[in-house]
């Protein structure tokens, strides 16, 4: 009968010892590899690996600051809006929106507008009047002109000081140096804050005064289809305010109201507004003002270089009859039919003929 011996390990005993030796050597080497850095850190940096493994030695200050960043409120003797919140974490998000999206959007928008206007001027050029008649039509009363220039001059100052505050760090500090910029920014901020109140009063009055004549009618659609008469020889009909001017008016109204309301929030922070309201206000204020500055560049171009004869109307109040017929023919007719033409259309003596030789 054959007996089956279990072949547990048939290798010679010397071979088996050899294998165990290898296992031991590998284990010791492994231990050395892991233990050395732990020992070094213990000795050199004072970090006890056993403690590090079993004891929660998280830096207590980290927990404290984490809570602060999460907006946990504490106790303060100062009574006021959010005075118990040490750090408003969303302030960092707001900073990134302001210094990233808004400034980039603004620079792109203003750059695009300037390039578009230069191209328009080079390609289309000034809308010339041709032969003037020499007869003048009253277009803007003295009150309207004073109001227009009051608002316009304040707008320009507010735009320049506001843009200085938005782009000062990126553009003005490298140009002027930090000390000169600090002095200028101090002045710019005060000018911006105080003049804004006069601007609000002027703008509200101007919008209220001119809103009636700025509602769109069917005529305006035709004006748009004819490209405002800037392309080709077509002169589309228009009443006192043409469709392009109406667009400017409504942008001024909508963005102007957003600008004024957000600006008032920023001017009077002590009336119970929290920091998130102020941050939202600053974002709206920045976007509305950049849109208005871009459109105002278009308006200023069309009121000066773009159209012969418009600027003199806003300075002296009167425009040449040829200008009125060309740009605002329906309004011109209205002034004639209403009998307003007589006092408003002045005959200016034509050039005197030279004395006849006898
Ligand atoms: C240097 C700057 C400016 C110049 C040269 C200028 C020029 C003019 C001119 C010539 C007109 C009369 C257009 C016509 O008779 O049809 C006008 C109208 C007007 N301007 Fe200005 N302007 C300037 C700045 C501003 C600013 C900053 C605002 C507003 C913030 C403004 C708002 C208006 C409005 C609402 C009208 C009424 C007609 C329209 O809607 O275009 N202007 N401007």
């Amino acid at each position: 009968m054959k007996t089956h011996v279990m072949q547990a390990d048939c290798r010679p005993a010397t071979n088996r010892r050899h294998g165990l030796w290898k296992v031991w050597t590998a284990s010791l080497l492994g231990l050395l590899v892991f233990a050395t850095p732990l020992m070094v850190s213990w000795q050199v940096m004072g970090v006890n690996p056993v403690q590090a493994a079993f004891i929660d030695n998280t830096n207590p200050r980290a927990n404290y600051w984490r809570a602060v960043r999460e907006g946990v409120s504490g106790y303060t003797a100062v009574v006021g809006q959010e005075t118990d919140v040490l750090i408003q974490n969303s302030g960092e998000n707001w900073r990134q929106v302001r210094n990233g999206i808004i400034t980039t959007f603004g620079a792109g928008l203003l750059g695009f507008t300037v390039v578009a206007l230069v191209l328009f001027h080079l390609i289309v050029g000034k809308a010339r009047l041709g032969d003037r008649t020499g007869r003048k039509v009253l277009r803007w009363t003295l009150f309207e002109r004073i109001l227009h220039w009051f608002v316009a001059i304040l707008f320009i100052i507010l735009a320049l000081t506001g843009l200085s505050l938005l782009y000062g760090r990126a553009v003005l500090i490298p140009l002027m140096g930090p000390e000169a910029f600090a002095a200028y920014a101090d002045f710019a901020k005060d000018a911006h804050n105080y003049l804004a109140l006069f601007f609000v009063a002027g703008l509200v009055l101007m919008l209220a005064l001119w809103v009636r004549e700025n509602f769109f009618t069917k005529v305006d659609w035709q004006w748009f289809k004819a490209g405002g008469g800037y392309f080709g020889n077509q002169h589309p009909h228009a009443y006192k305010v043409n469709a392009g001017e109406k667009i400017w008016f409504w942008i001024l109204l909508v963005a102007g109201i957003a600008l004024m309301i957000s600006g008032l929030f920023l001017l009077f922070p002590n009336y119970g507004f929290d920091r998130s309201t102020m941050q939202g206000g600053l974002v709206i204020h920045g976007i509305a003002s950049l849109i208005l500055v871009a459109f105002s560049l278009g308006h200023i171009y069309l009121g000066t270089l773009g159209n012969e004869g418009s600027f003199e109307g806003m300075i002296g109040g009167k425009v040449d009859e040829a200008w009125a017929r060309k740009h605002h023919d329906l309004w011109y007719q209205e002034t004639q039919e209403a009998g307003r033409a007589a006092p408003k259309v002045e005959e200016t003596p034509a050039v005197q003929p030279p004395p006849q030789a006898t």
Side-chain angles (χ1 to χ4, degrees):
M1 192 179 124
K2 273 191 181 174
T3 49
H4 290 277
V5 181
M6 249 183 63
Q7 290 190 332
D9 192 349
C10 311
R11 288 176 296 162
T14 43
N15 269 7
R16 255 182 289 148
R17 274 202 301 275
H18 218 75
L20 274 176
W21 184 84
K22 274 185 188 165
V23 173
W24 276 108
T25 318
S27 311
L28 275 173
L29 272 174
L31 208 67
L32 219 64
V33 167
F34 286 106
T36 312
L38 288 177
M39 297 305 285
V40 169
S41 67
W42 189 1
Q43 290 308 311
V44 177
M45 295 186 286
V47 179
N48 183 338
V50 180
Q51 261 186 11
F54 298 108
I55 301 168
D56 178 15
N57 68 340
T58 320
N59 183 351
R61 275 177 295 178
N63 287 336
Y64 175 81
W65 285 110
R66 195 169 298 115
V68 167
R69 294 297 299 260
E70 281 163 7
V72 169
S73 51
Y75 164 76
T76 172
V78 182
V79 182
Q81 189 78 18
E82 290 182 297
T83 42
D84 52 355
V85 178
L86 195 55
I87 291 181
Q88 191 222 26
N89 200 26
S90 62
E92 181 55 22
N93 302 342
W94 167 81
R95 207 180 66 84
Q96 281 172 12
V97 170
R98 185 221 188 241
N99 293 350
I101 301 171
I102 294 182
T103 47
T104 315
F105 157 79
L109 183 68
L110 298 184
F112 170 81
T113 309
V114 171
V115 171
L117 289 175
V118 170
L119 286 179
F120 182 87
H121 193 66
L122 293 176
I123 296 167
V124 181
K126 193 180 201 132
R128 300 213 174 265
L129 261 193
D131 290 337
R132 289 174 180 252
T133 65
R135 286 185 296 274
K136 302 281 183 185
V137 186
L138 180 68
R139 183 152 170 83
W140 304 106
T141 63
L142 179 64
F143 178 70
E144 284 175 318
R145 278 175 280 145
I146 291 175
L147 187 57
H148 173 267
W149 290 117
F150 177 77
V151 172
I153 290 168
L154 285 176
F155 178 90
I156 292 169
I157 299 173
L158 291 173
L160 289 176
T161 48
L163 288 175
S164 304
L165 299 177
L166 189 60
Y167 290 105
R169 188 179 291 272
V171 179
L172 295 180
I173 291 183
L175 286 176
M176 308 165 75
E179 286 83 16
F181 176 74
Y184 165 68
D186 194 32
F187 157 79
K189 187 182 70 67
D190 283 348
H192 198 86
N193 288 352
Y194 288 111
L195 293 179
L197 294 170
F198 295 94
F199 174 75
V200 168
L203 185 60
V204 168
L205 193 58
M206 187 161 110
L207 294 171
L209 194 71
W210 287 342
V211 69
R212 262 187 54 222
E213 51 208 27
N214 275 284
F215 289 108
F216 286 97
T217 64
K218 277 187 192 151
V219 174
D220 296 316
W221 180 233
Q222 301 303 323
W223 191 94
F224 282 127
K225 283 210 289 194
Y230 288 104
F231 309 96
N233 288 325
Q234 245 186 323
H235 292 309
H237 299 303
Y239 286 98
K240 177 158 186 191
V241 184
N242 68 36
E245 290 173 328
K246 285 180 185 175
I247 296 263
W248 166 229
F249 179 87
W250 288 107
I251 284 177
L252 190 59
L253 186 133
V254 174
I257 288 176
L259 189 79
M260 290 187 288
I261 294 179
S262 56
L264 290 173
F265 271 81
L266 300 174
L267 265 185
F268 302 105
N270 295 337
Y271 284 85
F273 308 131
D274 59 12
R275 278 176 272 197
S276 57
T277 313
M278 305 292 283
Q279 285 154 0
L282 270 164
V283 170
I284 294 173
H285 201 71
I287 294 174
S289 62
L290 288 164
I291 290 175
L292 275 180
V293 170
F295 274 91
S296 75
L297 292 178
H299 171 73
I300 293 169
Y301 167 75
L302 292 173
T304 51
L305 282 180
N307 283 296
E308 183 186 346
S310 298
F311 189 63
E312 60 197 50
M314 216 13 129
I315 292 286
K318 291 172 185 161
V319 287
D320 194 277
E321 204 182 43
W323 184 94
R325 282 211 205 103
K326 180 177 176 184
H327 294 292
H328 299 269
D329 57 343
L330 300 175
W331 165 73
Y332 176 69
Q333 271 174 30
E334 274 181 346
T335 61
Q336 303 286 302
E337 286 161 13
R340 281 179 280 147
K344 290 185 178 171
V345 178
E346 289 169 1
E347 291 282 350
T348 42
V351 181
Q352 294 295 319
Q356 295 287 318
T358 46

